Amino acid sequence: MSAPKERIVETTMKLFSSQGYNSTGINQIISESSVAKASFYQHFKSKEDLCVEFLNTRHTYWFNELDSFTALKNDHKSKIIAAFDFLIHMNEKENFRGCSFLNILSEIPNDNIKILKVIQEHKSGLRNYFNGLIQDKDIADHVYMLFESSIIESQLFKSNELIERSKQIVTNLIH
């Protein structure tokens, strides 16, 4: 059996993804991860701290998966198209769950700076990913916005149609 902190994070990953942040209580997490309440609070002072851990874990997982998915592509254009294919892959793998970061963003109050900062860092990392592949900053930002809107639309309509359309647009944008 894994360590208590690992069980808490694994359980949180599952529950936040399926139920959302606000609908998941600490007592449910404690119960389903089979840890003592004292053990939970030894690792996390609050649900907010647990959410930060969840988002940081998700960030690492997501970028590792993206990097693995695009690793065999040699040029920047192929890597960018593969990034959109990665969205299709994740939609199939996670049943159009959408972006964990935006899902949490929609549930937190506007003044929750601690969680907001982690979400902003993830999105900045993704924007920087495209800026690193595309020399033209305006085009890189445009591709980033297409990517982001593709995530939201595919979640909303449970369809990869806009991702496929975005790939066509990106193919025409990038030389």
Side-chain angles (χ1 to χ4, degrees), residues 13 44-45 58 71 92 100 116 118 120 136 151 161 170:
M13 298 294 286
F44 303 101
K45 289 181 175 53
R58 182 68 182 174
E92 291 167 0
S100 299
L116 178 63
V118 177
Q120 289 172 336
D136 184 319
I151 295 170
E161 181 182 346
V170 167

Side-chain angles (χ1 to χ4, degrees), residues 135-162:
Q135 300 307 311
D136 184 319
K137 189 175 178 346
D138 289 338
I139 291 177
D141 283 346
H142 194 85
V143 170
Y144 165 75
M145 289 186 282
L146 278 170
F147 193 86
E148 282 295 308
S149 63
S150 292
I151 295 170
I152 294 165
E153 290 293 309
S154 65
Q155 179 185 18
L156 178 62
F157 293 104
K158 307 286 188 245
S159 168
N160 291 316
E161 181 182 346
L162 188 61

Side-chain angles (χ1 to χ4, degrees), residues 48-67:
E48 181 184 53
D49 288 345
L50 178 59
C51 186
V52 167
E53 180 75 19
F54 161 76
L55 291 171
N56 285 331
T57 301
R58 182 68 182 174
H59 172 85
T60 300
Y61 166 79
W62 196 88
F63 270 101
N64 285 343
E65 290 289 302
L66 175 63
D67 289 341

Side-chain angles (χ1 to χ4, degrees), residues 66 69-71 73 76-87 129 147 167:
L66 175 63
F69 201 87
T70 60
K73 304 300 179 186
H76 70 284
K77 188 173 187 175
S78 297
K79 280 192 183 294
I80 293 164
I81 299 300
F84 282 86
D85 287 333
F86 172 70
L87 291 182
Y129 173 81
F147 193 86
K167 283 172 39 181

